[in-house]
Amino acid sequence: MNLTVFGATGGIGREIVRQALEAGHTVTAVVRDPARLPVTGDRLDVVRADLTDPAAVRPAVAGRDAVLSGLGARSRAEAGAATRLTRTVLTAMADEGTRRLLVVTAGPIGPAPKSGEGVLDRAVRGVVSAVLKDVYADLRALEAEVATSGTEWTVVRPPRLQDRPLTGRYRTVVGGFPPRGRFIGRADVAHAMLAMTSDPATVGRGVGVAY
């Protein structure tokens, strides 16, 4: 496939680029600073673009099979950035007629597990949601924008992220969240997103992913 990755210098974005190249895909990585992307490859095109300008982004999404985004706030001070930048991507995709989109938000944004969640899990969910309320408000707004965009979208909702090697041993729940899913490695989130790219069952759905 011919893929475009936004947020390619972030932890999940770098893994998406690396794993996509290893799988034989052609990748366009859209970044603010190319020097921050350590991944290289013959099928990789690194594009510097202003993510506040949809016209600047259009060439990066034109004719692509799918767009994958790891854009998000890295701290409470950056709350609001995820929605603004994603709005630029959505506008560019609409202008170019590019349809498939996968974005990352967070586990607490979606529904709680239907069963198997203990008192500790509920307590942690509540504390984290309170501490990061500004960031989560941004991600909820992002999900709302995506859901009304007219794209063939999938929202991927991981819990606490860790830096650990790819395992492939994670759980996904379409329309929900894995019970007792407390953390996941960034490499496995990237792996899950790439697998969902061609999965029609995930289109127009939120998908919880966790160990």
Side-chain angles (χ1 to χ4, degrees):
M1 288 189 290
N2 194 345
L3 308 175
T4 292
V5 180
F6 288 91
T9 58
I12 293 174
R14 284 197 305 270
E15 281 294 329
I16 293 173
V17 172
R18 183 183 63 79
Q19 293 180 35
L21 291 172
E22 290 178 353
H25 301 303
T26 298
V27 180
T28 299
V30 183
V31 300
R32 287 180 293 183
D33 180 6
R36 293 182 57 212
L37 181 63
V39 185
T40 60
D42 294 337
R43 296 181 308 280
L44 174 62
D45 183 20
V46 181
V47 175
R48 186 199 299 265
D50 179 1
L51 292 189
T52 64
D53 180 7
V57 175
R58 286 181 61 176
V61 302
R64 300 315 194 267
D65 297 306
V67 173
L68 297 92
S69 173
L71 294 171
R74 295 178 183 144
S75 67
R76 294 176 64 184
E78 295 182 355
T83 301
R84 290 194 302 272
L85 299 179
T86 301
R87 189 177 297 131
T88 299
V89 174
L90 291 171
T91 300
M93 290 179 65
D95 290 343
E96 292 295 335
T98 303
R99 300 284 297 158
R100 187 72 174 112
L101 173 68
L102 296 95
V103 301
V104 177
T105 59
I109 304 303
K114 294 181 179 179
S115 63
E117 185 178 50
V119 174
L120 176 61
D121 298 281
R122 291 194 297 271
V124 170
R125 177 186 287 262
V127 170
V128 171
S129 296
V131 171
L132 298 177
K133 63 179 181 179
D134 294 337
V135 172
Y136 286 167
D138 181 20
L139 295 178
R140 289 189 182 91
L142 183 157
E143 288 201 7
E145 294 263 353
V146 168
T148 58
S149 65
T151 60
E152 296 173 355
W153 57 270
T154 299
V155 170
V156 181
R157 299 172 178 142
R160 182 165 58 91
L161 295 169
Q162 297 181 340
D163 287 320
R164 55 172 59 203
L166 174 66
T167 70
R169 297 190 300 273
Y170 51 82
R171 297 172 292 155
T172 59
V173 177
V174 177
F177 194 79
R180 302 186 184 277
R182 297 170 183 170
F183 60 91
I184 190 170
R186 291 175 175 85
D188 278 312
V189 176
H191 187 270
M193 291 180 72
L194 286 167
M196 293 177 205
T197 300
S198 56
D199 183 357
T202 65
V203 174
R205 306 297 301 275
V207 182
V209 55
Y211 293 140

